Amino acid sequence: MTKAQKPENQQQKRTVTDLVADIENLTTEIQQLYCSDAIPWVIGYSGGKDSTTVLQLVWNAIAALPLTQRTKTIHVITTDTLVENPIVSAWVSNSLEQMRTAAQEQEMPIEPHLLHPEVKETFWVCLIGKGYPAPRHQFRWCTTRLKINPANHFIREMVRVSGETILLLGTRKAESSKRAATMAKHQEGRVRNHLNPNKNLPNSLIYTPIEDWRNDEVWIYLNQWQNPWGNSNKDLFTMYRGATADNECPLVVDTSTPSCGDSRFGCWVCTMVNKDRSMEAMIHNDQEKEWMQPLLDIRNELDLHNDRDRRDFRRIYGKVELFERNVNGEISVEPIPGPYTKQWRESWLRQVLEAQTKIRRHGPEEMKNITLITEEELSEIRRIWLEDKHEFDDSLPRIYQQVTGEPFKDYRPGADNRLLGSDEWQVLEEICGDDAMHLELMAKLLDTERQYRTMSRRIGINEALEKCFHTSSRSKDEAIKNARWKRNLKNAAKVGDVETVQLTLKEAATSLNSELPEEEIKAEGSSVKPLPQARQKEEEETDYTVEGNDITTVEQETWASRKFPASQGTGNRE
């Protein structure tokens, strides 16, 4: 028995007659709520069964009102994450077009909107461009960026213009026990039936008219009441049925009967679930959908739980951070994996472009123009690689042409005007050999200088160059060892363990081949003198020193302060 069925089992069983009576009551409730004020309505529409049911209930209720009372615009919003299941995405796009046409013909105050995430926050820009790892429960970076932010931005704009708004959703208690508990909690501040305050969006209320409906009641309604904007609810039913493993989607007649209400549609790249069962079922049940196999392959390739070999040993801001990990019953302190490496970011780009090209050439006619990654996303990815990651070999246009056979056209003004390119990168590779960190450091220093070359006042260049050394001047082993020293030092300092602090400082000085005589780092009595600043190699701005049992911090000398000493007027060195 699935979790999604528990709330449904606990609900009081209703007959079809009861359902019809509830629909009539909801129709009256919707009409009264609509006519009671001028607060604009926003309906969240995903194209699925629940949101379709809510929209259909509202449409039929408002259509029963005289034209003189249809004065308030009802906004229907759909968020296209740009990585939606292509079948569902095409279904939703067609639905919105039909909705727009039908609303005009029937003089309905309904206006559909197709929303998108900002280019800088799309899935591929974050994963391929910035190197974010595939989403996990511990790092679920996708939902807010792709779904919540676009919808919230639209709602906030409505509130800004109108002062307040009412958001209509198809959420139901029968979806899951967690959803039921959340909805029950929100009911504590309920204004009236089905109307709850929205704690995340001030001046907006949430209206959930079908919160007590079961899955079978949703399907009864959709199959027995005609869709008012011309969509086929039978086709929707068939789409759900095709997304179940047994290719069946029966109506629920008792607690032992499965329902296709458990089918889930969403992003085809989603790694928040163990398997994309809906896409697998579509491919398995329908030979005409075998063209989706490349998408499933990419999704499964992304869903690798142990992907440490694909990721940098530093966090995205260039710092090594450690965490405790249980390995065969023993605690191991290891670096937290960071973003995907250059090699793997380029590999993901190539795989997505290859899938897009293959589907366009060999897929069904309706998918000949499928877009898995947009030109705007490609341009932003290229910008991130060039400007933020200093990868001036500019590999994106080369990969694009190799895969598609067409030259890449970047719409950004001046995108192709560069002083450094693949030729200079190749020279650096020959000079640095197999030393990847040396190559990275040289590339960052050269490109940082290039970025500041046209500025009349090059304010910040010294700090930018200093950052290059902080993030890329050590080898992987040295950087991890340095992070361990700092961790041990901080932990010892927190508990006042003077002996460990002394030993750690001594070990660090010895390992780093300090030219200081050993006597200078030995403890005098119960105190430890800090190493002279010219010899400190720590990457943080402060370090620990111990005097007796008191722990203080001392300012650390940096590369910039050594190159531009105070006597030369470092305050005006820009």
Side-chain angles (χ1 to χ4, degrees), residues 286-304:
D286 191 344
Q287 188 174 2
E288 294 181 357
K289 292 185 175 63
E290 289 182 354
W291 58 268
M292 297 175 66
Q293 187 63 47
L295 306 187
L296 186 61
D297 293 340
I298 292 177
R299 185 261 163 213
N300 291 339
E301 180 73 15
L302 282 170
D303 192 22
L304 182 65

Side-chain angles (χ1 to χ4, degrees), residues 310-356:
R310 302 178 176 183
R311 296 164 61 181
D312 202 314
F313 65 94
R314 300 157 294 180
R315 304 302 297 273
I316 199 166
Y317 38 83
K319 184 178 179 181
V320 177
E321 292 188 0
L322 305 175
F323 77 112
E324 293 183 354
R325 183 185 180 205
N326 191 321
V327 180
N328 298 325
E330 296 184 0
I331 300 300
S332 174
V333 179
E334 301 178 6
I336 300 174
Y340 288 124
T341 61
K342 182 177 188 293
Q343 172 189 351
W344 275 100
R345 285 185 278 109
E346 293 175 348
S347 175
W348 294 130
L349 173 64
R350 185 178 297 275
Q351 290 183 53
V352 173
L353 290 174
E354 286 174 348
Q356 177 176 279

Side-chain angles (χ1 to χ4, degrees), residues 464-524:
L465 292 172
E466 182 72 47
K467 184 178 178 181
C468 297
F469 281 96
H470 280 179
T471 60
S472 307
S473 60
R474 291 187 178 96
S475 68
K476 178 179 178 179
D477 292 339
E478 290 174 342
I480 295 175
K481 184 182 293 185
N482 181 65
R484 292 181 188 276
W485 281 332
K486 291 196 298 181
R487 181 178 184 275
N488 294 337
L489 189 61
K490 290 179 180 178
N491 289 341
K494 286 179 182 178
V495 298
D497 187 349
V498 177
E499 183 178 356
T500 300
V501 172
Q502 295 172 351
L503 292 175
T504 303
L505 288 174
K506 181 177 179 179
E507 181 186 357
T510 304
S511 179
L512 292 172
N513 297 321
S514 173
E515 297 176 1
L516 291 171
E518 187 173 338
E519 289 74 13
E520 290 196 29
I521 60 174
K522 286 183 177 179
E524 293 185 3

Side-chain angles (χ1 to χ4, degrees), residues 185-286:
K185 183 178 180 180
H186 290 167
Q187 287 180 11
E188 296 175 1
R190 175 159 285 183
V191 178
R192 52 179 291 186
N193 278 351
H194 309 127
L195 205 59
N196 301 324
N198 187 347
K199 65 176 182 179
N200 296 320
L201 292 170
N203 290 7
S204 66
L205 295 172
I206 297 179
Y207 182 39
T208 54
I210 63 169
E211 60 184 22
D212 295 318
W213 285 29
R214 303 190 310 270
N215 289 334
D216 62 314
E217 292 176 330
V218 170
W219 285 117
I220 288 174
Y221 175 73
L222 291 177
N223 284 318
Q224 297 301 320
W225 276 260
Q226 186 176 358
N227 187 291
W229 60 89
N231 240 8
S232 172
N233 289 340
K234 303 291 185 183
D235 291 344
L236 178 63
F237 184 83
T238 302
M239 187 167 63
Y240 268 83
R241 183 180 62 187
T244 56
D246 54 6
N247 197 23
E248 293 185 4
C249 191
L251 296 179
V252 175
V253 294
D254 55 43
T255 58
S256 63
T257 307
S259 170
C260 66
D262 293 332
S263 300
R264 288 290 185 181
F265 297 118
C267 303
W268 64 267
V269 293
C270 184
T271 52
M272 298 301 296
V273 293
N274 292 331
K275 290 185 178 181
D276 189 338
R277 300 187 185 280
S278 63
M279 192 186 302
E280 287 181 351
M282 284 183 175
I283 297 172
H284 175 74
N285 295 332
D286 191 344

